[in-house]
Amino acid sequence: MRKPIVLAVSLLIGAAANTAGAACPSGMPDAVSAAYTRTIQLELNIHGYDAGQPDGQPSLKTESAIGAYQQDAKLPVDGCISKGLVDHLQFVLPKVEKGRGSRAKPEVIEVQTLLSRRGYYVGAVDGVAGGQTRAALRRFELGAKIEVSNLIDRTLIDKIKSADPAVRGDKSGR
């Protein structure tokens, strides 16, 4: 009588171990998973959630940022990388963003977002034009060979948008 109980317990433990590893089933090839991970890290950083360096490598920091975003967006919290999460981050309106205080300026948010997508800015998109934002902007302006401006306005945003798409910073934002 003992063998069936031991077998049943073994099967239950094995099933629990399999579901724990399958909590984030992707079925994606490694290259696709890395691309989704990098995009999610970048977008989470843009939305103000610190997902770490957008390097395409899953980490506890990335998982934690995903969970915080999912909670704020009222999504099921699973911390998983998925195409659905990428779509939510990029296309759902209104945007779910963390850390937007009263000092946040819409033009600065847009500049930070544009520079982040070009690889010049890796900080949180918080709408505050601090040193990191100004340094990223200066690097972009020099790289794009446009006049260095101290004013963040619609004219500057239009210059960034119309700059050659090949003008890109390295992935570290330096």
Side-chain angles (χ1 to χ4, degrees):
M1 199 67 168
R2 251 183 154 187
K3 282 189 177 184
I5 293 173
V6 171
L7 180 60
V9 169
S10 295
L11 289 173
L12 286 173
I13 291 171
N18 286 339
T19 56
C24 293
S26 73
M28 294 181 245
D30 289 345
V32 174
S33 179
Y36 278 149
T37 301
R38 182 184 181 287
T39 300
I40 287 169
Q41 289 166 327
L42 179 65
E43 290 293 330
L44 285 169
N45 288 337
I46 288 171
H47 289 256
Y49 297 85
D50 184 7
Q53 192 74 330
D55 58 8
Q57 300 300 313
S59 67
L60 290 176
K61 193 171 202 176
T62 301
E63 187 177 329
S64 175
I66 291 170
Y69 175 84
Q70 289 172 324
Q71 184 173 8
D72 290 349
K74 303 198 180 356
L75 297 171
V77 178
D78 60 12
C80 293
I81 305 292
S82 70
K83 181 182 183 319
L85 181 59
V86 171
D87 290 345
H88 198 279
L89 283 159
Q90 292 182 330
F91 304 117
V92 168
L93 294 174
K95 295 287 186 191
V96 176
E97 295 168 336
K98 185 175 187 166
R100 294 274 170 94
S102 60
R103 297 178 6 182
K105 304 231 183 298
E107 294 85 3
V108 176
I109 291 168
E110 192 165 357
V111 165
Q112 288 172 328
T113 300
L114 292 168
L115 293 176
S116 185
R117 289 192 175 136
R118 284 183 178 255
Y120 282 95
Y121 180 74
V122 294
V125 176
D126 58 7
V128 179
Q132 193 175 7
T133 301
R134 296 230 178 254
L137 180 56
R138 195 157 289 113
R139 286 190 308 274
F140 169 78
E141 290 169 328
L142 293 172
K145 296 180 175 66
I146 62 175
E147 182 181 340
V148 175
S149 171
N150 288 322
L151 183 63
I152 296 178
D153 60 5
R154 293 301 323 160
T155 302
L156 177 63
I157 292 167
D158 291 341
K159 285 180 183 179
I160 295 171
K161 286 181 176 180
S162 64
D164 183 345
V167 175
R168 304 200 56 80
D170 67 26
K171 293 178 181 161
S172 69
R174 294 180 200 155

